[in-house]
């Protein structure tokens, strides 16, 4: 079953909490941003729900005094970097991204020293410190386009090996040095499991996120970021679609087009199902207390903000 443990409140108290959060947001002129992988009840109270790129753009453009970011730490940092005069609040400061923590700025510097002619391309799923030593950032939605436009022939790609290999396939004229990081939830999906689903639902096209294993990507009819999967799955002619990404996306898919069936795999990860544990650690209660008391503010050294904004802006310009 593709379900995860929701909060313990009954339906009524969930609704009350949601109303109270929205009231506070209006009162404090706060904007609430939520990633697609957030719990459904958290997505419901957000002003905007989207993927990393869409939320980065919203964070950069907002004139709200407070940004409550329901996502993982690197996303909150990106919001702060792009709009440093705003107060960015993270409802659960412990929610980091395991993949982002798989590389340090020191490791990037060592790669740069070894390959001085290469440009460092970092997935936005990196810490602010890693961004600060990168040449350009990418998301899974724009990585191919950005790398194609770079003047360097040699690319250091960090930290996701799956996305790096996916880009390498599409940009064959460049040389790649790819860091061996990975997204634990997306690496849980196996080709065997996808094959079984394809046999069970032969009429359903398969949409896969590029953070998955290469052999899973090879079985896809469509490969794209979460927002690109939303577009494909909700508008393609097929009545049902096999979706190989984090299960939180199901909520958006059902909202955008409830007339279709979205089939997610049943595989289990270290949290008990294929979902991102750190994303799901953000609950309505945490959003409520964070906004009410204006706690869990995201702060970064000025020097890091000044350096990390350069590769993010470069990405936004190139796309
Ligand atoms: S889904 Fe993967 S990449 Fe995204 S926050 Fe979770 S661990 Fe990080």
């Amino acid at each position: 079953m593709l379900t995860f443990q929701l909060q313990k409140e009954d339906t009524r108290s969930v609704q009350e909490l949601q109303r109270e959060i929205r009231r506070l947001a209006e009162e404090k002129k706060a904007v609430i941003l939520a990633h697609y992988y957030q719990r459904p009840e958290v997505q419901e109270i957000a002003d905007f729900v989207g993927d990393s790129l869409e939320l980065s753009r919203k964070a950069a453009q907002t004139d709200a005094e407070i940004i409550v970011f329901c996502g993982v730490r690197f996303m909150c940092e990106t919001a702060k970097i792009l709009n440093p005069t705003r107060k960015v609040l993270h409802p659960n400061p412990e929610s980091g991204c395991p993949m982002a923590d798989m590389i340090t700025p020191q490791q990037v510097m060592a790669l740069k020293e070894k390959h001085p002619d290469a440009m460092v391309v970092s997935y936005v799923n990196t810490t602010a410190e890693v961004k600060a030593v990168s040449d350009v950032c990418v998301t899974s939605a724009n990585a191919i386009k950005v790398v194609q436009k770079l003047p360097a022939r040699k690319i250091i790609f960090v930290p996701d090996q799956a996305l790096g290999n996916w880009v390498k396939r599409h940009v064959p004229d460049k040389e790649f040095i790819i860091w061996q990081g990975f997204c634990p939830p997306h690496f849980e999906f196996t080709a065997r499991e996808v094959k079984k689903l394809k046999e069970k639902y032969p009429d359903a096209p398969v949409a896969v996120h590029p953070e998955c294993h290469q052999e899973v990507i090879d079985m896809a009819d469509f490969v794209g970021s979460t927002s690109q999967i939303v577009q494909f799955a909700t508008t393609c002619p097929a009545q049902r679609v096999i979706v190989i990404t984090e299960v939180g996306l199901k909520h958006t898919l059902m909202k955008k087009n409830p007339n279709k069936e979205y089939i997610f795999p049943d595989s289990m990860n270290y949290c008990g199902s294929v979902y991102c544990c750190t994303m799901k650690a953000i609950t309505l209660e945490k959003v409520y207390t964070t906004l009410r008391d204006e706690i869990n503010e995201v702060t970064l050294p000025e020097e890091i903000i000044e350096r990390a904004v350069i590769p993010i802006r470069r990405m936004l310009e190139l796309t």
Side-chain angles (χ1 to χ4, degrees):
M1 276 284 285
L2 279 169
T3 56
F4 47 82
Q5 196 61 47
L6 290 178
Q7 292 163 256
K8 293 208 167 49
E9 307 99 334
D10 61 26
T11 316
R12 189 178 145 81
S13 63
V14 166
Q15 287 166 350
E16 280 170 5
L17 209 44
Q18 286 174 324
R19 270 199 297 275
E20 193 52 22
I21 292 169
R22 285 310 319 166
R23 189 193 62 74
L24 278 173
E26 305 291 315
E27 183 187 302
K28 291 172 181 267
K29 296 188 174 40
V31 66
I32 302 177
L33 306 180
H35 191 270
Y36 284 130
Y37 299 167
Q38 288 293 296
R39 293 165 177 269
E41 69 274 23
V42 172
Q43 292 188 36
E44 284 299 311
I45 45 105
D47 293 283
F48 301 104
V49 179
D51 66 9
S52 315
L53 180 61
E54 292 166 333
L55 296 178
S56 297
R57 289 190 195 279
K58 291 288 177 202
Q61 290 158 0
T62 187
D63 52 7
E65 283 162 23
I66 297 174
I67 301 172
V68 180
F69 209 120
C70 303
V72 291
R73 194 179 314 122
F74 77 80
M75 296 176 179
C76 304
E77 288 180 349
T78 306
K80 184 69 188 172
I81 292 163
L82 286 170
N83 214 336
T85 59
R86 307 295 163 196
K87 193 185 245 189
V88 179
L89 306 179
H90 190 193
N92 187 44
E94 288 77 40
S95 282
C97 164
M99 175 161 66
D101 294 336
M102 288 177 192
I103 189 154
T104 64
Q106 292 75 19
Q107 287 167 322
V108 176
M109 292 309 289
L111 283 172
K112 278 172 92 149
E113 213 166 291
K114 207 169 159 196
H115 307 279
D117 51 337
M119 285 184 90
V120 177
V121 176
S122 67
Y123 195 11
V124 283
N125 303 30
T126 43
T127 62
E129 288 77 11
V130 166
K131 287 183 178 78
V133 293
S134 301
D135 293 300
V136 66
C137 287
V138 293
T139 68
S140 50
N142 64 27
I144 294 171
K145 202 182 204 178
V146 170
V147 173
Q148 277 170 338
K149 288 182 178 173
L150 294 178
R153 208 191 72 75
K154 205 170 181 183
I155 303 294
I156 296 169
F157 194 99
V158 300
D160 185 19
Q161 56 178 286
L163 184 64
N165 285 320
W166 171 244
V167 175
K168 184 181 169 182
R169 268 182 157 194
H170 287 81
V171 192
D173 55 318
K174 293 195 192 279
E175 186 187 335
F176 285 77
I177 296 106
I178 298 171
W179 193 253
Q180 295 301 296
F182 62 93
C183 164
H186 282 97
F187 255 36
E188 287 296 318
F189 301 118
T190 63
R192 202 163 145 247
E193 191 172 24
V194 179
K195 187 170 172 271
K196 267 200 214 159
L197 287 174
K198 276 173 79 107
E199 281 164 6
K200 195 169 172 189
Y201 307 101
D203 57 326
V206 181
V208 174
H209 193 282
E211 285 174 12
C212 292
H213 286 286
Q214 192 59 61
E215 57 270 31
V216 172
I217 291 177
D218 287 344
M219 301 176 87
D221 296 290
F222 178 83
V223 181
S225 67
T226 39
S227 53
Q228 290 164 338
I229 289 176
V230 170
Q231 174 69 14
F232 170 79
T234 56
T235 59
C236 72
Q239 259 313 104
R240 55 182 159 204
V241 183
I242 298 167
V243 183
I244 312 295
T245 190
E246 213 267 7
V247 70
L249 195 63
K250 198 170 191 171
H251 186 67
T252 296
L253 295 174
M254 290 303 293
K255 273 185 88 170
K256 290 215 180 234
N257 189 346
N259 301 316
K260 287 196 183 211
E261 194 184 345
Y262 306 103
I263 298 141
F264 284 73
D266 278 339
S267 58
M268 306 285 273
N269 75 0
Y270 56 97
C271 286
S273 181
V274 178
Y275 62 86
C276 177
C277 314
T278 57
M279 285 276 192
K280 299 294 186 290
I282 292 173
T283 61
L284 277 182
E285 287 95 338
K286 286 178 182 168
V287 178
Y288 173 69
T289 48
T290 298
L291 182 54
R292 184 193 62 195
D293 303 338
E294 296 186 29
I295 51 173
N296 302 330
E297 184 173 354
V298 177
T299 56
L300 288 168
E302 222 165 278
E303 187 212 335
I304 293 291
I305 292 181
E306 278 168 18
R307 283 161 52 205
V309 77
I310 298 168
I312 303 173
R313 285 249 165 85
R314 197 171 280 156
M315 168 185 77
L316 296 175
E317 281 160 19
L318 287 171
T319 55

